[in-house]
Amino acid sequence: MSYPLCSIEKAGILTSIQDLGRFGYQHYGVPISGAMDKVALQIGNGLVGNDLGAACLEVTMGGTTLKASHDHLVAITGADLDAKLNGKKAPLWSTFIWRKGTTLTFKGPVEGIRAYIAVQGGIDSESILGSQSVYERGQMGRHIQSGDQLYSYSNQVDRKRIGLSHDKRPSYDKEVDVRLVGSQHQSYIKKESIEAFFNSSYTVSTGDRMGIQLDGEAMTFEDTGDIISEAVTFGTVQVPSSGMPVILMADSQTTGGYVTIGNIVRADLWKIAQLPPGGKINFHKISHEEARKLSKNLHSFLSSLQKEAKYIPSK
């Protein structure tokens, strides 16, 4: 059964329904898609008592206005996009009751660029190939538009108000350190370029849900940067013929014919997803074993959200 959630008064720059993505179809050319910042999405779901992979609203950059159609328990996580409830600052990283008729607005970035709205019970939308994630290039759903009406699977508001303490919340800095596992293609790139990649900063030039173009010192090849196409994924760092690295994101293609320098570890992908244009990235090479430990630690944190979250007394 569905319940009215909210009406879209103003869709903003880019707002869409996303979960953790669709898996098992990459060999057909279908990207995984899903939330760009999967950590923020899972934290939001954990706070409202959902399965961690439930569908949420992903709000990019802001300019968005939503009006509640019913009382719902929600949590806003991810970027601080200057969210306000009827003009007053909205709680972040904690649950609250979004009252019927109340307007929720996201003016624009204060810290980070992507916010997530998790709703108790989850958002009701069409599931395609096992996921509600919108992948508009593949005609799998569409982005939210002004005038849309959204629905949820529940209208319960029976949970205590809980939230994450500040020391548990991700920090969305404009300069980040990310860890990367090297690829087998590094021999295609001149040694001095590899050294420069790991010893200098790169700047986010442009980007979208498919990929992020970086500016910095161009890399040079021993011979050519073209290879026979092979599998790529969210976090793969390609080096096209221009020599300027590109980070593939959630909606990236599933194969590519450019040399890759490596893959950003899963535990750091959220940092890239929240970087605005002009943000800086410092890359650090780590081993597969170190990457596995980081992934395990992140999984343990997300699995223990109910213990990490603290009760917030009603005012």
Side-chain angles (χ1 to χ4, degrees):
M1 186 171 179
S2 295
Y3 300 88
L5 171 58
C6 65
S7 58
I8 311 300
E9 308 290 301
K10 192 176 177 183
I13 294 174
L14 180 63
T15 303
S16 64
I17 295 172
Q18 301 291 338
D19 52 28
L20 291 181
R22 50 185 56 85
F23 296 87
Y25 300 96
Q26 293 98 304
H27 58 297
Y28 295 118
V30 180
I32 293 174
S33 296
M36 290 278 275
D37 182 347
K38 291 177 169 58
V39 172
L41 175 136
Q42 290 178 88
I43 291 175
N45 278 320
L47 290 174
V48 298
N50 292 345
D51 179 275
L52 294 185
C56 297
L57 274 184
E58 179 180 85
V59 181
T60 303
M61 299 299 286
T64 307
T65 302
L66 317 169
K67 188 173 183 179
S69 305
H70 200 284
D71 288 1
H72 287 277
L73 184 78
V74 303
I76 301 171
T77 58
D80 181 351
L81 299 183
D82 195 15
K84 287 184 166 62
L85 284 166
N86 278 1
K88 296 182 179 180
K89 189 171 180 62
L92 302 180
W93 302 100
S94 67
T95 59
F96 64 93
I97 299 175
W98 186 15
R99 298 290 183 185
K100 179 180 179 180
T102 303
T103 298
L104 176 60
T105 61
F106 295 85
K107 185 175 180 181
V110 176
E111 183 184 67
I113 62 172
R114 291 182 171 90
Y116 294 84
I117 306 172
V119 181
Q120 185 176 22
I123 295 174
D124 183 3
S125 67
E126 182 183 14
S127 179
I128 301 173
L129 300 180
S131 171
Q132 294 172 245
S133 290
V134 170
Y135 171 49
E136 203 164 45
R137 283 189 177 96
Q139 298 182 357
M140 297 180 184
R142 63 166 175 79
H143 298 139
I144 300 301
Q145 297 178 7
S146 299
D148 285 351
Q149 173 70 50
L150 301 185
Y151 297 85
S152 74
Y153 289 116
S154 171
N155 63 351
Q156 293 182 345
V157 288
D158 57 354
R159 291 173 61 81
K160 292 180 179 179
R161 186 179 173 197
I162 59 173
L164 285 184
S165 59
H166 285 275
D167 63 308
K168 299 295 183 182
R169 303 175 186 180
S171 177
Y172 302 128
D173 301 320
K174 292 183 179 178
E175 181 168 358
V176 298
D177 293 302
V178 300
R179 291 154 291 193
L180 175 146
V181 176
S183 81
Q184 71 275 23
H185 297 151
Q186 289 193 11
S187 60
Y188 286 71
I189 304 170
K190 289 189 175 180
K191 186 177 180 181
E192 53 268 31
S193 283
I194 297 289
E195 292 175 352
F197 178 83
F198 288 110
N199 289 286
S200 61
S201 295
Y202 282 84
T203 302
V204 174
S205 172
T206 59
D208 56 19
R209 285 185 50 86
M210 188 171 183
I212 292 175
Q213 175 70 58
L214 302 182
D215 278 340
E217 186 170 339
M219 309 189 79
T220 55
F221 305 101
E222 293 289 354
D223 182 19
T224 178
D226 294 327
I227 59 170
I228 296 173
S229 290
E230 61 178 46
V232 293
T233 190
F234 189 2
T236 298
V237 182
Q238 287 187 318
V239 187
S241 54
S242 66
M244 208 60 71
V246 174
I247 303 174
L248 302 184
M249 301 301 285
D251 285 351
S252 74
Q253 71 276 18
T254 59
T255 62
Y258 293 131
V259 161
T260 65
I261 195 166
N263 272 76
I264 296 169
V265 299
R266 186 178 304 173
D268 284 348
L269 288 174
W270 61 271
K271 299 179 183 180
I272 305 298
Q274 294 289 1
L275 270 183
K280 294 186 178 297
I281 306 172
N282 304 300
F283 293 96
H284 304 276
K285 187 176 180 179
I286 65 171
S287 68
H288 285 88
E289 182 58 33
E290 290 172 308
R292 280 191 288 269
K293 288 180 180 178
L294 291 170
S295 183
K296 184 178 180 181
N297 291 341
L298 176 60
H299 177 75
S300 296
F301 168 71
L302 293 170
S303 298
S304 63
L305 271 175
Q306 293 302 315
K307 294 180 181 178
E308 296 288 353
K310 304 299 181 184
Y311 173 59
I312 302 173
S314 299
K315 293 183 180 180

